[in-house]
């Protein structure tokens, strides 16, 4: 078959009230896979991610130019609408009636305070799939907690598992809780749609971002349940593999990860290292013994790696069938041979903005074809087309809506640009 | 179509995946994590294991640290609610059983090296001949094609090759692999959502598909914008920042562990008020630009504030004043959490072999459909039920298959 298969979410429309990280990540996944995602922002209540990491060179359109914003809102359409004004809310209601999914990541109480209650939404669209994703969920004694990704990661238990072994816990280098919650929220929306296909009924999802992250550590729960113990911090070591670590290489802050999980892989590493005499020592003859002597083993493997580039070590290990990976810096990652051979990165550009590379399909499927990417919408870019085309608003009414600041072509009174 | 469909009267159908047949040929963490949730959403997941059992049975932890394939905590967590079948795909009888299962499946999940199933007559092209709507999901370290496709992988090497390790850890120490098995779990979470997305597409469009999920790509897609930013100028944007992005975005020691805040400019005033330290609400600290220049001074002040509080006091004051802060929760904190108990998040099971277990049991709360809370199968627990009752083998066949090491 030569024609590309339709995207799996073709024909699904999403009203996207999400902002910042977790929610936009969920909506991004849905947009990438074919949903018509309409990103709704109020003229005075707009997505702060636009200014959190603004472009290096500020332009008049800085609120449209942030790389972060583009990463999270590509392939979406942009609608400006003030939901705190009655006419704005009424127009929003008409939009909801034409949507399959409504997704929001406000704090637990915000939707109700805006008057956008579940019962109101259900009246407008009985089979709507509603996804809320407050940090700690919508109910319970901690529902009011504010949770950005780093807080979610801490409260989920994940941070407690990581560290070099000196007792200090470590977070990841990203706002880990956000993409994790975003993937699950997209899964929740799609699961709701599956159920709707099969039963005709909608569903209201109350996703607590922290809970999703906590599902990623089942064995730590088992260890506590069974033996009332916490997992030790093992740094880059492993419970039974050795060598297993990040080893220094030539250059500043260059490292390579090596993990030997079998005798065959050990023999491969010995070959890769040029069969040094020490490696034939009885102490390294089997897995248990290698693990026992992991300290000296790490020293000796480090001595080998530290005189070589990480690419050189990787090539030698690759040839010998040893699990190995250079610790890519981000500039190196985007040049990774395999990712590029698979077409993972795709160019994205906009006449108004720079051109750069972003990741394309995260999941490929048969006949998926290239990932066609549209840049994130300028603020309110599709307001006219959505209001007049989808909601049958008389074009003559648009100036009055703009006058009343129900819609806008740019954020009104944005705060000073802030960089974290 | 949806609006016209007659609502079902059978409450069991309320489970989104009720009656959906899933064959899970995957092992380890990623695939089983994805199918765990399909089972909890009502799907009939048949877990196909080689006669020696899934790799996760050898991973532990075990009660009293005594290894036993039936009480490995990792296995018991990842395989709740599934039916268990043993099947040796290196025997012709085993392949015939797998083919019969796949022929009636809506979804097949697998994690073999690329080409493995094709060689055994179980690849996607073969399956879709009989079953055009089947969704096949392959989740592997590097995907089905490309120069690394056959590269041996381990969690730490994947973490390194995806860019996540390079930004994690202390700037003055080596890059750090996170604890637990995050790389595998991340791929599993992606595999879950990808499976659901593809299955919805198959339901609506009447044609199945084969998803090719590369763990390296799933991790590399989760670097926020740092990777794409680096592609713009060729300049490294961000190295390792450890626990302290800035004074108001970091993790600090407190009386009984560690707690942290993640304060954006719009949260600052409330945070400053909550600390009860007057100078934080005054110049220069109440000015975002000047604050940044004095980050070390601000850190020192906040070290002092955290040092006088317990973890839960930090979270309580953050809730009271409305700014983002929390603490480094440990498993017992989570097991005892009133919030999680209120949400019905944990599943308690007095397991006959492994003893009492408390496991996370949902991804989200949805009163309309709920989540099933089953138990993981013992090795081959449902062999007879599946082979005899459903696939038409007789009892003599079972003995023969066992003898041939096919099951």
């Amino acid at each position: 078959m030569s024609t590309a298969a339709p995207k799996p979410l073709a024909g699904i429309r999403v009203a996207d009230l999400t902002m910042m990280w977790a929610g936009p990540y969920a909506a991004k996944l849905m947009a990438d896979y074919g949903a018509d995602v309409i990103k709704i922002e109020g003229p005075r209540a707009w997505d702060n991610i636009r200014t959190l990491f603004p472009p290096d060179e500020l332009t008049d359109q800085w609120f449209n130019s942030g790389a972060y914003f583009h990463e999270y809102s590509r392939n979406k359409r942009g609608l400006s609408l003030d939901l705190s004004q009655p006419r704005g809310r009424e127009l929003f209601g008409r939009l909801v009636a034409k949507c399959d999914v409504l997704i929001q990541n406000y704090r637990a109480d915000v939707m109700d305070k805006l008057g956008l209650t579940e019962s109101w939404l259900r009246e407008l669209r009985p089979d709507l799939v509603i996804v809320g994703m407050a940090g700690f969920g919508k109910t319970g004694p901690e529902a009011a907690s504010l949770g950005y990704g780093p807080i979610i990661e801490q409260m989920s238990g994940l941070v407690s598992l990581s560290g070099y072994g000196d007792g200090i816990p470590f977070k990841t280098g990203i706002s880990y809780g956000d993409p994790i919650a975003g993937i699950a929220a997209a899964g929740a929306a799609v699961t709701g749609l599956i159920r709707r296909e099969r039963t005709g009924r909608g569903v209201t999802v109350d996703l607590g971002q922290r809970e999703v992250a906590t599902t990623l550590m089942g064995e730590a729960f088992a260890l506590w349940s069974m033996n009332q113990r916490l997992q030790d911090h093992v740094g880059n070591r492993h419970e039974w593999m050795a060598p297993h670590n990040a080893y220094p290489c030539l250059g500043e802050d260059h490292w390579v990860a090596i993990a030997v999980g079998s005798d065959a892989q050990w023999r491969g590493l010995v070959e890769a290292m040029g069969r040094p005499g020490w490696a034939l020592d009885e102490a390294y003859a089997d897995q248990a013994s290698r693990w026992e002597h992991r300290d000296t083993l790490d020293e000796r493997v480090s001595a080998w790696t530290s005189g070589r580039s990480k690419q050189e070590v990787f090539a030698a290990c690759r040839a010998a069938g040893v699990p190995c990976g250079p610790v890519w810096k981000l500039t190196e990652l985007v040049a990774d041979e395999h990712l590029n051979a698979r077409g993972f990165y795709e160019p994205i550009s906009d006449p108004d903005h720079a051109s750069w590379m972003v990741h394309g399909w995260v999941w490929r499927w048969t006949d998926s074809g290239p990932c066609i990417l549209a840049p994130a919408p300028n603020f309110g870019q599709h307001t006219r087309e959505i209001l007049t085309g989808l909601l049958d608003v008389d074009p003559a009414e648009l100036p009055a809506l703009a006058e009343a600041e129900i819609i806008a072509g740019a954020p009104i009174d944005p705060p000073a640009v802030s960089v974290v | 179509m949806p609006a016209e469909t007659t609502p079902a009267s059978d409450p069991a159908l309320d489970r989104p995946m009720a009656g959906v047949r899933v064959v899970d040929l995957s092992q380890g963490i990623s695939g089983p994590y994805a199918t765990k949730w399909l089972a909890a959403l009502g799907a009939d997941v048949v877990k196909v294991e080689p006669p020696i059992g899934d790799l996760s049975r050898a991973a532990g932890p075990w009660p009293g640290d005594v290894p036993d394939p039936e009480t490995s905590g990792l296995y018991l967590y990842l395989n709740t609610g599934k039916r268990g079948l043993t099947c040796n795909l290196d025997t012709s009888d085993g392949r015939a059983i797998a083919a019969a299962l796949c022929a009636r499946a809506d979804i097949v999940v697998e994690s073999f090296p690329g080409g493995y199933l094709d060689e055994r007559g179980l690849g996607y092209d073969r399956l879709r001949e009989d079953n055009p709507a089947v969704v096949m999901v392959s989740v592997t370290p590097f995907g089905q094609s490309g120069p690394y496709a056959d590269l041996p992988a381990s969690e730490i090497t994947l973490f390194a090759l995806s860019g996540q390790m390079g930004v994690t850890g202390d700037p003055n120490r080596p890059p750090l692999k996170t604890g637990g098995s995050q790389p595998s779990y991340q791929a599993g979470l992606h595999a879950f959502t990808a499976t659901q997305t593809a299955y919805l597409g198959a339901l609506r469009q009447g044609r199945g598909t084969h998803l090719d999920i590369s763990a390296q790509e799933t991790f590399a897609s989760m670097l926020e914008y740092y990777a794409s930013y680096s592609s713009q100028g060729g300049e490294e944007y961000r190295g390792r920042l450890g626990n302290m992005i800035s004074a108001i975005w970091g993790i600090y020691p407190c009386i009984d562990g560690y707690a942290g805040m993640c304060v954006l400019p719009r949260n600052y005033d409330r945070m400053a008020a909550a600390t009860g330290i007057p100078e934080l609400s005054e110049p220069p600290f109440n000015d975002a630009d000047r604050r940044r220049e004095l980050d070390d001074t601000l850190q020192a002040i906040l070290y002092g504030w955290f040092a006088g509080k317990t973890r839960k006091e930090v979270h309580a004051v953050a809730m009271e004043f409305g700014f983002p802060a929390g603490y480094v929760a440990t498993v017992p904190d989570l097991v005892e959490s009133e919030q999680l108990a209120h949400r019905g998040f944990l599943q308690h099971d007095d397991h006959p072999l492994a003893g009492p277990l408390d496991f996370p049991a949902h991804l989200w709360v949805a009163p309309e459909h709920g989540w099933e809370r089953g138990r993981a199968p013992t090795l081959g627990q449902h062999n007879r039920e599946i082979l005899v009752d459903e696939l038409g083998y007789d009892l003599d066949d079972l003995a023969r298959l066992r003898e041939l090491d096919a099951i």
Side-chain angles (χ1 to χ4, degrees), chain B residues 326-385:
Chain B
Y327 57 87
V328 177
T330 61
V331 173
D333 291 331
L334 299 164
V335 170
E336 291 156 19
S337 160
E338 284 177 34
Q339 174 69 13
L340 293 177
H342 179 91
R343 308 263 305 159
F345 177 65
L346 291 175
Q347 162 182 0
H348 181 82
D349 182 20
D350 288 309
H351 193 279
L353 301 172
L357 298 171
D358 286 295
F359 282 148
H362 69 228
L363 286 172
W364 60 78
V365 172
E368 295 93 336
H369 69 63
W371 298 78
E372 285 179 19
R373 301 181 163 203
R375 188 177 277 168
T378 55
L379 189 63
Q381 183 182 339
H382 301 91
N383 280 4
R384 181 172 163 166
E385 173 180 311

Side-chain angles (χ1 to χ4, degrees), chain B residues 88-107:
Chain B
N88 183 351
L89 300 183
D90 288 326
T91 65
S92 58
D93 288 299
R95 289 191 291 274
I97 292 166
L101 278 176
C102 290
R104 62 174 205 176
D106 300 294
I107 296 168

Side-chain angles (χ1 to χ4, degrees), chain A residues 27-105:
Chain A
K28 169 179 109 164
L29 283 174
M30 288 189 271
D32 283 357
Y33 288 94
D36 174 18
V37 175
I38 298 177
K39 181 176 179 65
I40 301 153
E41 296 172 276
R44 293 175 191 276
W46 41 284
D47 190 347
N48 274 262
I49 207 78
R50 291 174 179 277
T51 59
L52 202 55
F53 297 90
D56 287 342
E57 290 178 26
L58 292 185
T59 67
D60 291 348
Q61 296 278 305
W62 50 267
F63 48 85
N64 288 329
S65 306
Y68 216 129
F69 173 64
H70 276 272
E71 180 79 18
Y72 278 58
S73 284
R74 69 203 203 175
N75 290 338
K76 302 176 187 175
R77 294 203 282 168
L79 168 67
S80 67
L81 204 55
D82 184 350
L83 303 183
S84 69
Q85 296 197 50
R87 177 65 173 149
R89 198 156 52 240
E90 189 263 328
L91 288 169
F92 176 69
R94 282 160 61 183
L95 176 66
V96 166
K98 299 198 173 202
C99 286
D100 304 284
V101 175
L102 179 144
I103 184 166
Q104 54 88 9
N105 67 335

Side-chain angles (χ1 to χ4, degrees), chain A residues 225-246:
Chain A
S225 293
M226 292 169 169
N227 299 326
Q228 290 74 56
R229 270 209 321 269
L230 302 180
Q231 279 189 0
D232 292 331
H233 290 173
V234 295
N236 293 319
R237 289 242 170 106
H238 190 270
E239 288 153 336
W240 52 266
M241 286 192 222
H244 186 288
N245 217 326

